Amino acid sequence: MKRKTLTFKLSLIILPLIVLIFVIALLINTLVASKIILNSVKNTVRYQSESISKDVLSILYPIEKIAKQDAFAVREFIDNPNAIDDFVTKILNENEEIISVDFAFNKGIFEQDSIVVFHGKRINKNKSVVSANRYKSFTQEWYTRPLLLNSSAWVEPAFCSDKKDILISYSVLIKQRKEVVGVSSVGLSLNELSDDISNLKILTSGFPFLLSSKGTFVAYPDSSYILNETIFSYADRIKSEKLKLVGEDMINGRSGVIEINLGDGKELLFYNPLKETSWSIGVLIPERDIFSKIAILNKWILIVGILGVILIGLVIFISTNKTTRRLSQIVAASKRIGEGDINTDLPISHSNDEVGILSNAFRKMQIKLTNYVENLKSATEAKEKIESELRIAYEIQQGIIPRIFPPFPEREDVELFALLKPAKEVGGDLYDFFFMDESHLCIVVGDVSGKGVPASLFMAITRTLLRAHSTKDISVDNLVSMINKALCVDNDSGMFVTFFIGVLDLKTGILEFCNAGHNYPYILREDKSLEKLDVTHGVPLGILDDHPYSSDTVNFSKGDVIVLYTDGITEALNEKEEFYGDDRFEELLANISVKSHPQVIIDRILDDNKVFVGDEPQNDDITLLVLSYYWSVFSSNTDENI
């Protein structure tokens, strides 16, 4: 009876505690799971929004570039209106993504009292229509908006006259001798982009939508909303003041997440701006989609918990014998060990029964666990110290090189993008770029022998010497010689760095360069030819302190692109231990358009390299620097600009 009473008492104490712990665990699980799922949804929405933004920009950015080029080029035909008609047709024929081209010239250019508009529209893939019309008063937004803003501008999307295409236009001021003489506009269809966004599904029934700068739906699952309704008219129709406030935030370029009820229950509305076009992306997800899995999970946890409590109660009532007290002592001691007190006293047992064997086993385990914890503590401290030092070294290395892109947003004569991808935590590659004066841009790529922390330190020293010795009037070969001499001093480790440096005169397009044992750069010419700068001016830096270095020059034309890289690209290995190689690299570069943005070119190179390598680990540091040269805004021969 005493044993049964003790078991019953233990049950009354243990079972409620187990139930309480289970309830607390269930609540914690609900809160944690809700937070995790909500963060996961936010990440999904952010990645989806970024993907949509990239898709939009990949379509709109080339149109901006074409519109600016056309506004510059059409000035040559101002004295010949017929040539402008031919120019419009040429633009449509050479750019399949464009569906309309318009040039509007102010009064006094062709007619004293009329605006003259040259209009071109694509009928189908192979045909276009060109017409020249004269208007005394012309108020279409593609013409009036850039004049009001005195700058280039995206025009509010609208349906074409045939209601088949959603037309988006980019307008640029036509300037002659710094005076505005008209407006150039290029239009493209947003149908495919709108359909792609409208058909996306997030989770079960969530969806994204796209708003123009005035809050008009450009993409929405219900096609009747597109260009026919704004977020404000929709808010009025469903009588939601909260949605109106969200609409104000969206057209003003703000981002956020709100809980809202649009008639079908509570929903989460995520919104982010697409600043380049003053548009905004929204994602609407019902809360039931987000938290439905938590309810299912809690249901199963509850069932399993109830069964577990019942089972534990049965075990407690059944497990009664003479060894309860001794077992309780062992359990209490083992619990203290489990909580971290591994030096707790274990009960001593001299019996050879199962309890005695268990007690002795716990004692042996305690000794081994004590030794293991001490060894693990030492190993963990050492590992954490190394990892901390490597992390700091990586942060220092990344802080040395410039990482803000675009680096010169105010300039129109050059675009540049660079990337450094170490094979280990830190690496020995380097790149740098900076203006030596207003018109001379210095670009550098190097590769230090070896990898890891020593190579990263040598890289930092090289970059510091470069910046320290770079002056306005120093020649490239003298600069390289000075860096080499400094690196050779006390270089007991025998480390060296292959080094390529070039100084581009943006006024003349002349690049003075010196190659100290580095991979040969490539120039993608505007005429689609590929030129290899296969000349070396000396051994790598840090080997011979008195080694003489020379330099060469090469001319750049408008639209030319130079690609600098390290051997992490060409010497990448696939699973067959085959090198990526110069031939494959040259073939890839030959098929890349010089009109591509430098970042797009680098992405193409990395993607092709990844396809070749497959799942093999990166075996060397990878560095890429791509520069696109357009034209000099400093040239004394240029007195006109756009």
Side-chain angles (χ1 to χ4, degrees):
M1 287 299 297
K2 288 183 180 181
R3 287 199 300 271
K4 289 182 179 180
T5 301
L6 178 61
T7 302
F8 183 76
K9 290 180 179 180
L10 289 175
S11 300
L12 289 179
I13 296 172
I14 294 174
L15 288 178
L17 288 175
I18 292 175
V19 172
L20 178 61
I21 292 171
F22 171 75
V23 171
I24 294 173
L26 185 62
L27 293 175
I28 294 175
N29 174 75
T30 301
L31 294 174
V32 173
S34 298
K35 186 175 181 180
I36 292 173
I37 290 176
L38 187 58
N39 287 336
S40 176
V41 171
K42 288 181 178 179
N43 289 332
T44 300
V45 170
R46 184 176 73 252
Y47 295 146
Q48 191 70 60
S49 298
E50 291 175 354
S51 176
I52 293 173
S53 297
K54 290 180 180 178
D55 290 343
V56 173
L57 294 180
S58 68
I59 294 174
L60 300 186
Y61 180 79
I63 300 303
E64 288 188 18
K65 198 168 184 180
I66 292 171
K68 291 178 181 178
Q69 292 172 346
D70 293 346
F72 181 85
V74 76
R75 300 179 307 171
E76 299 178 7
F77 309 117
I78 288 180
D79 296 328
N80 186 359
N82 293 330
I84 296 180
D85 287 335
D86 295 335
F87 183 56
V88 171
T89 303
K90 180 182 178 183
I91 294 171
L92 290 170
N93 290 338
E94 291 180 353
N95 302 276
E96 294 182 359
E97 67 274 25
I98 295 175
I99 65 172
S100 69
V101 177
D102 293 277
F103 295 104
F105 294 91
N106 298 343
K107 296 178 182 179
I109 305 302
F110 294 114
E111 299 286 343
Q112 289 300 321
D113 60 343
S114 299
I115 300 170
V116 178
V117 178
F118 293 84
H119 170 70
K121 178 182 178 183
R122 185 181 303 283
I123 297 177
N124 54 43
K125 188 174 183 181
N126 300 316
K127 289 187 177 182
S128 60
V129 172
V130 177
S131 63
N133 303 312
R134 291 164 177 78
Y135 302 89
K136 291 185 178 180
S137 177
F138 190 69
T139 59
Q140 288 195 18
E141 188 181 8
W142 68 262
Y143 175 73
T144 59
R145 182 174 175 82
L147 292 176
L148 290 173
L149 298 176
N150 195 29
S151 68
S152 303
W154 283 102
V155 181
E156 187 74 359
F159 282 116
C160 290
S161 57
D162 55 8
K163 299 293 184 179
K164 292 182 179 180
D165 289 301
I166 302 173
L167 178 67
I168 177 70
S169 301
Y170 186 75
S171 297
V172 181
L173 295 176
I174 303 173
K175 293 184 179 181
Q176 190 172 37
R177 295 179 180 87
K178 299 183 179 180
E179 293 183 2
V180 176
V181 298
V183 175
S184 167
S185 178
V186 174
L188 75 155
S189 173
L190 290 180
N191 285 18
E192 184 175 348
L193 175 65
S194 179
D195 290 342
D196 290 344
I197 296 174
S198 299
N199 293 328
L200 284 175
K201 286 293 183 184
I202 300 177
L203 298 184
T204 304
S205 55
F207 62 88
F209 61 89
L210 190 63
L211 295 184
S212 71
S213 59
K214 295 182 179 179
T216 303
F217 287 105
V218 179
Y220 196 82
D222 187 347
S223 59
S224 64
Y225 282 45
I226 298 174
L227 300 190
N228 294 320
E229 188 157 356
T230 68
I231 192 170
F232 304 105
S233 64
Y234 179 66
D236 285 335
R237 184 152 51 82
I238 64 173
K239 299 179 180 179
S240 174
E241 292 297 323
K242 197 172 187 180
L243 186 58
K244 283 186 180 180
L245 295 177
V246 173
E248 293 290 343
D249 281 349
M250 293 181 74
I251 65 174
N252 288 316
R254 301 187 187 99
S255 61
V257 182
I258 68 161
E259 184 178 276
I260 195 167
N261 191 330
L262 300 181
D264 295 324
K266 291 184 179 180
E267 299 169 299
L268 289 181
L269 177 56
F270 304 79
Y271 54 96
N272 293 290
L274 182 59
K275 295 182 179 178
E276 290 78 358
T277 60
S278 299
W279 292 3
S280 187
I281 299 169
V283 177
L284 194 65
I285 304 177
E287 282 192 355
R288 62 178 181 273
D289 286 2
I290 299 174
F291 302 114
S292 60
K293 293 183 178 179
I294 297 179
I296 297 174
L297 178 62
N298 286 343
K299 177 182 177 181
W300 282 106
I301 291 176
L302 185 61
I303 293 173
V304 172
I306 293 173
L307 294 176
V309 171
I310 294 174
L311 180 60
I312 292 172
L314 292 174
V315 171
I316 292 174
F317 278 101
I318 295 172
S319 301
T320 54
N321 52 58
K322 293 186 294 184
T323 59
T324 299
R325 188 180 298 276
R326 295 163 62 195
L327 285 175
S328 298
Q329 293 174 347
I330 295 174
V331 169
S334 65
K335 183 178 180 181
R336 290 193 294 273
I337 293 174
E339 292 173 348
D341 184 10
I342 59 175
N343 294 317
T344 187
D345 293 332
L346 286 169
I348 299 175
S349 177
H350 300 288
S351 65
N352 293 323
D353 59 10
E354 288 80 0
V355 177
I357 295 172
L358 180 62
S359 178
N360 293 329
F362 266 96
R363 187 176 296 280
K364 292 179 181 179
M365 180 190 71
Q366 183 184 40
I367 295 172
K368 292 182 178 180
L369 183 60
T370 301
N371 295 333
Y372 175 78
V373 169
E374 291 298 324
N375 294 335
L376 181 61
K377 182 178 180 181
S378 299
T380 301
E381 290 176 351
K383 181 181 178 182
E384 289 177 349
K385 183 178 180 181
I386 294 173
E387 289 177 348
S388 176
E389 291 174 350
L390 288 175
R391 183 169 58 254
I392 294 171
Y394 173 79
E395 292 173 354
I396 293 174
Q397 182 186 35
Q398 292 298 310
I400 290 175
I401 59 175
R403 293 186 296 167
I404 298 177
F405 296 98
F408 318 115
E410 73 283 357
R411 303 188 70 100
E412 297 180 353
D413 50 353
V414 66
E415 283 184 326
L416 185 148
F417 192 81
L419 175 141
L420 191 157
K421 186 179 179 184
K424 294 184 176 180
E425 289 81 357
V426 291
D429 278 8
L430 69 97
Y431 72 78
D432 202 358
F433 53 84
F434 54 90
F435 274 95
M436 303 179 76
D437 58 28
E438 191 178 31
S439 60
H440 288 80
L441 175 61
C442 179
I443 55 175
V444 172
V445 168
D447 185 358
V448 179
S449 59
K451 301 180 183 68
V453 175
S456 70
L457 293 175
F458 203 78
M459 167 271 211
I461 294 171
T462 304
R463 194 262 187 182
T464 302
L465 292 172
L466 167 67
R467 289 290 183 120
H469 293 297
S470 295
T471 60
K472 177 180 179 181
D473 299 321
I474 191 170
S475 64
V476 169
D477 51 350
N478 286 337
L479 176 57
V480 173
S481 297
M482 295 173 67
I483 297 172
N484 176 59
K485 288 181 180 180
L487 289 175
C488 288
V489 175
D490 297 328
N491 186 13
D492 297 332
S493 63
M495 299 189 73
F496 60 87
V497 55
T498 65
F499 195 77
F500 179 92
I501 181 172
V503 177
L504 177 61
D505 188 337
L506 297 176
K507 292 181 179 179
T508 63
I510 296 175
L511 177 75
E512 181 186 6
F513 67 95
C514 176
N515 189 336
H518 195 71
N519 303 83
Y520 298 134
Y522 291 91
I523 299 178
L524 283 65
R525 295 293 187 183
E526 198 274 337
D527 61 4
K528 299 183 180 180
S529 62
L530 183 66
E531 180 178 342
K532 186 176 185 180
L533 297 182
D534 51 353
V535 58
T536 300
H537 302 98
V539 299
L541 309 185
I543 298 177
L544 302 173
D545 60 354
D546 58 350
H547 183 75
Y549 290 90
S550 58
S551 65
D552 279 300
T553 61
V554 63
N555 291 330
F556 273 71
S557 300
K558 176 184 174 182
D560 290 345
V561 176
I562 186 170
V563 179
L564 309 181
Y565 61 98
T566 59
D567 57 11
I569 291 291
T570 54
E571 295 183 6
L573 293 171
N574 62 13
E575 60 182 3
K576 298 180 182 179
E577 297 190 353
E578 298 171 334
F579 287 111
Y580 182 83
D582 294 335
D583 292 341
R584 182 181 177 118
F585 191 40
E586 290 180 8
E587 181 180 355
L588 172 66
L589 294 177
N591 291 315
I592 292 179
S593 170
V594 295
K595 294 182 180 180
S596 300
H597 189 275
Q599 183 175 358
V600 174
I601 294 175
I602 286 179
D603 289 341
R604 284 280 305 278
I605 294 171
L606 292 178
D607 290 344
D608 189 70
N609 199 263
K610 180 61 179 176
V611 169
F612 176 82
V613 172
D615 296 329
E616 292 299 303
Q618 182 180 336
N619 65 335
D620 199 0
D621 302 334
I622 291 176
T623 298
L624 286 161
L625 187 150
V626 176
L627 180 146
S628 297
Y629 175 71
Y630 295 131
W631 68 88
S632 174
V633 298
F634 303 103
S635 175
S636 59
N637 296 325
T638 301
D639 60 358
E640 301 171 356
N641 55 57
I642 298 174

